[in-house]
């Protein structure tokens, strides 16, 4: 299985930029397709798709969220961070079956 | 809009089977997409368990292959999870979800505790 590694937590100040990283144990890119996706989950809620195929904003997601990366290294950026963004963020790959998730990065306020 | 809703018992005894239902509205499960079960363990680890496709074929996580079955009832627009021989390590929040390659739509989740 492809293992996705995320830092457990990140502390940021409101109005600042947050950069959340995800590293894959092998490439999750095929040709021009980067098969990494990002979700936000708040306590008591289901995960919400934020970014698909590394850099595409899902429907209804604010433009302060963006994604980048290719191969094994991917980044989710939130700029500027708002109070409503305090949550846990997960990456997920679909390059190989089974699809796997990162361990999650909990975004906290400084 | 596609909506998914899980239902089933919140408590299962060790060695028994866990059975959950996902009811889908706003889309016919035979029209497209793969229909997945995903679980989140205490401590945040998430695991994709398997899916049933719109054509009825299944694909399971090899880690669960001997214990899992995903079926459907197209007349009710529902799909089901059965996980056999559960242990306390199967305690988790179980979600049904759908999408192609990534998961656009999720149910609210149901917490299942395995305990005697």
């Amino acid at each position: 299985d492809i293992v996705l590694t995320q830092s457990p937590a990140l502390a940021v100040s409101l109005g600042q930029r947050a950069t959340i990283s995800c590293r894959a144990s092998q490439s999750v890119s095929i040709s021009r397709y980067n098969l990494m996706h990002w979700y936000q989950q708040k306590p008591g809620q289901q995960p919400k798709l934020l970014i698909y195929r590394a850099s595409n904003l899902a429907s209804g997601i604010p433009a302060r969220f963006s994604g980048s990366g290719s191969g094994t290294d991917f980044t989710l950026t939130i700029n500027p961070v708002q109070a409503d963004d305090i949550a846990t963020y997960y990456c997920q790959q679909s390059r190989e079956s089974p699809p796997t998730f990162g361990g999650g990065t909990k975004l906290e306020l400084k | 809009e596609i909506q998914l809703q899980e239902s089933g018992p919140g408590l299962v005894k060790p060695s028994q089977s866990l059975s959950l239902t996902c009811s889908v509205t706003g889309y016919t499960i035979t029209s497209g997409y793969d229909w997945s079960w995903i679980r989140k363990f205490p401590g945040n680890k998430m695991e994709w368990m398997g899916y049933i496709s719109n054509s009825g074929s299944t694909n399971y996580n090899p880690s669960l292959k001997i214990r899992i079955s995903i079926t459907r009832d197209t007349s009710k627009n529902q799909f089901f999870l059965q996980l056999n021989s559960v242990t306390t390590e199967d305690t988790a929040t179980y979600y049904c979800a759908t999408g192609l390659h990534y998961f656009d739509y999720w149910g609210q989740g149901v917490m299942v505790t395995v305990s005697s």
Side-chain angles (χ1 to χ4, degrees):
Chain A
D1 296 2
I2 295 177
V3 176
L4 303 181
T5 302
Q6 298 182 246
S7 297
L10 176 66
V12 294
S13 302
L14 293 179
Q16 299 302 303
R17 177 195 305 259
T19 301
I20 297 170
S21 63
C22 177
R23 174 163 288 177
S25 59
Q26 62 190 78
S27 175
V28 299
S29 300
I30 302 176
S31 183
R32 69 180 189 275
Y33 295 107
N34 300 301
L35 300 176
M36 184 67 80
H37 323 292
W38 290 94
Y39 302 85
Q40 175 194 68
Q41 187 174 31
K42 298 178 181 178
Q45 296 185 17
Q46 68 268 56
K48 178 195 295 186
L49 179 69
L50 298 176
I51 301 285
Y52 62 94
R53 290 199 295 270
S55 60
N56 298 278
L57 204 61
S59 176
I61 302 303
R64 64 179 184 275
F65 291 91
S66 63
S68 64
S70 65
T72 60
D73 291 297
F74 295 85
T75 299
L76 171 70
T77 300
I78 311 170
N79 187 29
V81 170
Q82 298 186 1
D84 189 51
D85 302 333
I86 300 306
T88 300
Y89 293 85
Y90 295 90
C91 53
Q92 175 244 321
Q93 66 80 24
S94 59
R95 172 62 179 84
E96 283 186 1
S97 186
T100 51
F101 293 84
T105 297
K106 188 173 183 180
L107 191 64
E108 301 169 329
L109 285 178
K110 272 185 188 175
Chain B
E1 183 186 353
I2 298 175
Q3 294 190 325
L4 299 92
Q5 179 67 59
E6 306 88 350
S7 58
L11 181 64
V12 180
K13 293 186 187 314
S15 80
Q16 294 189 344
S17 293
L18 179 162
S19 296
L20 298 175
T21 298
C22 183
S23 300
V24 180
T25 56
Y27 194 87
T28 302
I29 62 173
T30 56
S31 295
Y33 291 122
D34 298 326
W35 303 87
S36 286
W37 286 98
I38 297 166
R39 61 183 177 176
K40 182 181 175 183
F41 298 99
N44 285 349
K45 179 186 172 185
M46 293 185 67
E47 179 181 60
W48 172 82
M49 301 179 72
Y51 72 67
I52 187 164
S53 74
N54 60 85
S55 65
S57 62
T58 54
N59 184 22
Y60 300 134
N61 193 317
S63 68
L64 298 168
K65 204 160 188 176
I66 60 172
R67 296 200 293 139
I68 189 173
S69 176
I70 300 176
T71 57
R72 65 182 184 174
D73 183 336
T74 57
S75 68
K76 295 182 178 178
N77 215 38
Q78 295 175 329
F79 64 105
F80 311 102
L81 169 69
Q82 181 171 319
L83 186 66
N84 299 322
S85 304
V86 298
T87 71
T88 55
E89 295 189 354
D90 294 308
T91 293
T93 299
Y94 288 76
Y95 298 95
C96 54
T98 192
L100 291 172
H101 306 295
Y102 46 88
F103 305 101
D104 300 80
Y105 303 96
W106 297 68
Q108 298 269 20
V110 59
M111 186 178 298
V112 178
T113 301
V114 179
S115 175
S116 54

